[in-house]
Amino acid sequence: MMGVDLRALIQPVGIMRIMATILTCMCFSLVATVGHVSSPYWAWCMFTWCFCCFFTLLILILEFTTINAKLPFAWDDFTTAFAMLASLMCLAVSIIYPTFFTCKTCHRQIGASVVSWVCFGVYAGEVALTRLRPSGQRSGFLSTLPGIMKMLETFLACLIFTSLEEGQFNSPGLQWCVAVYSLCFIFAILIILLTITQLTSFFPFSFDKLVIVYNILAAVMYLTTMVIWPLYSFRNNKRPSGCGHLCAWDKLVVVTFMTIFNVIVYTLDTAYSIRLVFCVSDQ
């Protein structure tokens, strides 16, 4: 029988989630009234606000109706991970949207940008509250450093995909880069899903060591893209004189920097995983 838990709405975390739902709804409503803009960055911003609004509302409904207690995964781990992901996504769009789509007379766009920054603050506050666990309470995978780095890897890959455009992959080098971005993204998502659904115990070998092998391969593959992408993208390709905010050349720069950031994250993930499996577990 389904019950009702009013505490899900009146506790500090619940109040923050209600605020986040309202604020994200305000963001995409303000931007929607301005009209559609044919840009992958605009689509990413709208997706972010809709995604955060929908899942925050879903979390509120599931906790209010106590259905979350019947779900076959660690609920606290999932909600903490979602708050971290929403914080990252809101931070990104709070930078992207005012950079590309606002002006001095664009009042609704400025309003959406300000509200988006408030959304980021609310989600960051939720992360702070949910991370303050009582001493001795165990955290799930997504609340640990390896889980956070896995989410960061997939998030940076999403930003890379957003910046890619058709017609940029006419050379084998760039095609290799896109293949690396896609494969690493898919396997990172797969690792996250297998871990939170607790299916790793069914593997006939050490899943942690398999993840280490994957992390090493992903770090090396990303390292090759860090060299190949700018080499093939900017060779005999200077920035056009009339290049505006949505210039395709600037997107090549965004992909380059996101690739560098992901190389750093994958390297740190690899080093920490090796330390965790071979050093800490042997003590």
Side-chain angles (χ1 to χ4, degrees):
M1 183 177 177
M2 185 176 67
V4 172
D5 185 6
L6 190 60
R7 291 178 302 172
L9 303 179
I10 60 176
Q11 287 182 339
V13 173
I15 294 171
M16 283 188 166
R17 287 171 182 162
I18 293 172
M19 290 174 59
T21 304
I22 296 171
L23 291 170
T24 49
C25 183
M26 286 176 60
C27 285
F28 71 72
S29 298
L30 282 169
V31 174
T33 58
V34 177
H36 177 265
V37 178
S38 181
S39 165
Y41 292 137
W42 184 90
W44 171 256
C45 292
M46 289 295 283
F47 167 77
T48 295
W49 293 319
C50 293
F51 173 84
C52 292
C53 180
F54 172 79
F55 276 97
T56 306
L57 181 61
L58 181 64
I59 288 170
L60 282 170
I61 293 171
L62 292 177
E63 289 198 344
F64 179 68
T65 57
T66 67
I67 295 177
N68 63 301
K70 302 177 178 62
L71 297 177
F73 53 85
W75 178 254
D76 290 339
D77 187 30
F78 168 74
T79 54
T80 302
F82 169 75
M84 293 178 185
L85 180 61
S87 299
L88 283 173
M89 294 176 72
C90 286
L91 176 61
V93 300
S94 298
I95 296 171
I96 292 171
Y97 190 78
T99 301
F100 292 116
F101 305 107
T102 60
C103 61
K104 293 181 179 179
T105 58
C106 304
H107 303 300
R108 281 177 287 184
Q109 291 94 323
I110 293 172
S113 302
V114 172
V115 175
S116 184
W117 276 109
V118 178
C119 287
F120 164 68
V122 171
Y123 279 118
E126 182 183 343
V127 171
L129 285 177
T130 53
R131 289 287 292 174
L132 294 175
R133 300 176 184 273
S135 58
Q137 184 175 341
R138 186 183 177 187
S139 297
F141 171 71
L142 295 178
S143 301
T144 61
L145 189 56
I148 293 170
M149 285 192 285
K150 276 285 168 283
M151 287 193 297
L152 186 56
E153 290 159 7
T154 57
F155 171 72
L156 291 173
C158 287
L159 292 181
I160 290 173
F161 294 143
T162 305
S163 302
L164 295 177
E165 286 191 347
E166 293 182 9
Q168 292 179 339
F169 325 125
N170 51 4
S171 66
L174 296 181
Q175 290 169 4
W176 162 255
C177 293
V178 175
V180 170
Y181 300 143
S182 303
L183 287 172
C184 291
F185 174 77
I186 292 169
F187 279 104
I189 291 291
L190 190 60
I191 289 171
I192 291 172
L193 292 177
L194 288 172
T195 306
I196 65 175
T197 53
Q198 300 176 355
L199 296 176
T200 57
S201 58
F202 294 100
F203 281 75
F205 45 81
S206 173
F207 185 76
D208 291 336
K209 292 181 180 178
L210 176 64
V211 171
I212 289 175
V213 173
Y214 159 75
N215 285 340
I216 294 172
L217 288 174
V220 172
M221 290 167 67
Y222 253 96
L223 193 61
T224 64
T225 64
M226 187 178 71
V227 176
I228 293 173
W229 180 267
L231 181 64
Y232 279 83
S233 296
F234 302 113
R235 185 174 55 185
N236 300 323
N237 181 24
K238 294 183 179 180
R239 192 176 192 271
S241 57
C243 190
H245 278 313
L246 299 177
C247 180
W249 193 92
D250 289 342
K251 294 178 182 178
L252 298 176
V253 177
V254 172
V255 174
T256 302
F257 277 99
M258 293 303 107
T259 301
I260 294 171
F261 291 151
N262 236 356
V263 168
I264 296 171
V265 176
Y266 272 108
T267 303
L268 293 174
D269 193 6
T270 302
Y272 187 80
S273 299
I274 292 174
R275 176 183 175 275
L276 204 61
V277 172
F278 293 104
C279 298
V280 177
S281 61
D282 291 339
Q283 293 179 358

